[in-house]
Structure formats: structure tokens, C-alpha cells
Amino acid sequence: MKDTDIKRLLYTHLLCIFSIILSVFIPSLFLENFSILETHLTWLCICSGFVTAVNLVLYLAVKPNTSSKRSSLSHKVTRFLKCCIYFLMSCFSFHVIFVLYGAPLIELALETFLFAVILSTFTTVPCLCLLGPNLKAWLRVFSRNGVSSIWENSLQMTTISSFLGAWLGALPIPLDWERPWQVWPISCTLGATFGYVAGLVISPLWIYWNRKQLTYKNN
């Protein structure tokens, strides 16, 4: 494992964090009264778009999983369509899970679905960019000792931290503090965002700290 690989991972993560920061400040230049709390649904859409776009650009620029095989245009189109289907399936699956865990079924359906979209953006989109629409690769990466690169190791950590942040964000909702950020699903989306950012920061540092102990199958 080279230090340059870890630096490249760190720089890509910093750009992902920067995309979230941009999603907070850039819309305020064009939209009146824009804020994360007051116009939360708008921010969720913008943040999802920014993070997805940056992930795609970074994947095309960095190409962490470069394949020696050349794929045809039809194969690339099919792969892209599969990725879109996987993303939509992820959004609907998360939506159903949230409802099963107590989210309003009809009253706040749009809010719940956009929460599913932002969580899919933080978890499913990086998986699709790095691993593609390959469930076997997903199961391998998220199994014990299944990672084969620092990118997959980082993917593990950022995905888990996003889920953990979303779960922790749900804890204050039933409390009677009557804060505006306790409205469903603001605290959950903020928790997922902070968890995603924490994973982006912690994973390269953890990999660098443990670089001598980490071994990968393809090394």
C-alpha cells in the first residue's frame, strides 16, 4: 500500500465533503430564504444532486477499479441503466423500511422518500460507482475480510457511518424539546449527513494509521 494511494483517497473524500458544503451555500445565492431547516426538502434534492455528481466525476477521473477489458458502448449504456434501477430500488426499499419502523405512511410520504433518496446517495451511489451493479461484489465487500483495496475499505466505513448517523438522528424525535430540527425527517437526514462526512474523514485516517497491518487479496 502506497502513501500516494491514501493521499488520493483523502483528496477525493475532501471533494465529497466540499460538495455537501456547496449544497448549503450555493443555493442561498439564488433562492430566497433558503436554509437547511426552513427549505429542508429543497436542500435534500440539491445535496443529493451535488454528491451524486461529484461521485460520478471522481469515479471517472480517479478510476479506482480500472479494468483491463474494454467494454462496448452498449455495455456501458446497459451498465448505466442497471445502476439507475439499483438506485431507484434502493430508494424505494429504504422508504418501505422507514415506514415499517414507524415513519408516517401517507401524511409525510414525500419527506420520507427524500430521506430515502439522500441515504441512498450516501450509501448506494458510492457502491455503484466503485463496484457497479454487482450484488456479489457488494456482498463480498461488506462481508468480513472481503475488501480488496483501500477504496473498498473506505466504502465500508462511510456506508456504515451513514447508517449509524441516520439511526442516531432518529433518537431525539420523540423527545418533547419542540425544536424545529426534530420534525420528521430532519434530524435523521442531518444525522446521515454528519455520519457520511465523519466516515469520509475518519476512513483515510484510519487506513493510514493501520496501513502496516492492512493486507489485501490483490496486493
Side-chain angles (χ1 to χ4, degrees):
M1 184 191 307
K2 299 179 180 179
D3 289 347
T4 54
D5 295 331
I6 301 178
K7 288 181 180 179
R8 189 170 60 159
L9 177 67
L10 176 62
Y11 294 151
T12 56
H13 282 197
L14 291 177
L15 288 174
C16 289
I17 296 174
F18 187 61
S19 69
I20 295 179
I21 297 174
L22 289 179
S23 72
V24 176
F25 290 102
I26 288 184
S28 61
L29 301 176
F30 303 97
L31 301 176
E32 294 184 5
N33 302 321
F34 176 83
S35 70
I36 294 180
L37 297 182
E38 297 298 329
T39 56
H40 190 66
L41 299 185
T42 302
W43 175 75
L44 287 180
C45 296
I46 295 173
C47 182
S48 178
F50 272 59
V51 173
T52 300
V54 169
N55 270 275
L56 291 174
V57 171
L58 289 175
Y59 170 74
L60 294 174
V62 178
K63 296 181 179 180
N65 282 348
T66 304
S67 176
S68 58
K69 298 181 180 179
R70 289 188 176 182
S71 56
S72 62
L73 178 61
S74 60
H75 175 76
K76 292 179 180 179
V77 172
T78 302
R79 180 185 175 92
F80 175 76
L81 293 177
K82 283 184 178 180
C83 288
C84 293
I85 293 173
Y86 272 51
F87 179 75
L88 290 176
M89 289 175 59
S90 172
C91 294
F92 285 113
S93 298
F94 283 144
H95 184 101
V96 172
I97 292 173
F98 298 153
V99 171
L100 292 177
Y101 272 87
L105 177 61
I106 299 176
E107 184 180 358
L108 298 174
L110 178 60
E111 286 81 351
T112 303
F113 182 73
L114 289 180
F115 174 32
V117 170
I118 197 67
L119 188 59
S120 295
T121 301
F122 294 151
T123 58
T124 306
V125 168
C127 289
L128 290 171
C129 288
L130 186 63
L131 306 174
N134 186 344
L135 288 180
K136 289 184 179 180
W138 293 26
L139 293 175
R140 173 183 59 79
V141 169
F142 290 99
S143 63
R144 185 177 181 181
N145 300 324
V147 296
S148 60
S149 68
I150 61 173
W151 298 92
E152 294 180 357
N153 215 324
S154 174
L155 180 64
Q156 270 189 342
M157 299 180 70
T158 54
T159 301
I160 293 173
S161 63
S162 298
F163 284 128
L164 182 61
W167 178 75
L168 292 175
L171 298 181
I173 291 180
L175 302 178
D176 58 350
W177 296 343
E178 297 182 356
R179 302 293 183 181
W181 50 266
Q182 286 181 275
V183 177
W184 172 261
I186 294 179
S187 62
C188 292
T189 56
L190 293 180
T193 304
F194 285 122
Y196 177 65
V197 171
L200 291 173
V201 173
I202 294 172
S203 57
L205 299 178
W206 184 87
I207 291 172
Y208 178 78
W209 184 264
N210 296 277
R211 65 190 183 281
K212 294 182 179 179
Q213 290 78 28
L214 293 174
T215 57
Y216 299 108
K217 295 178 181 179
N218 62 344
N219 289 348

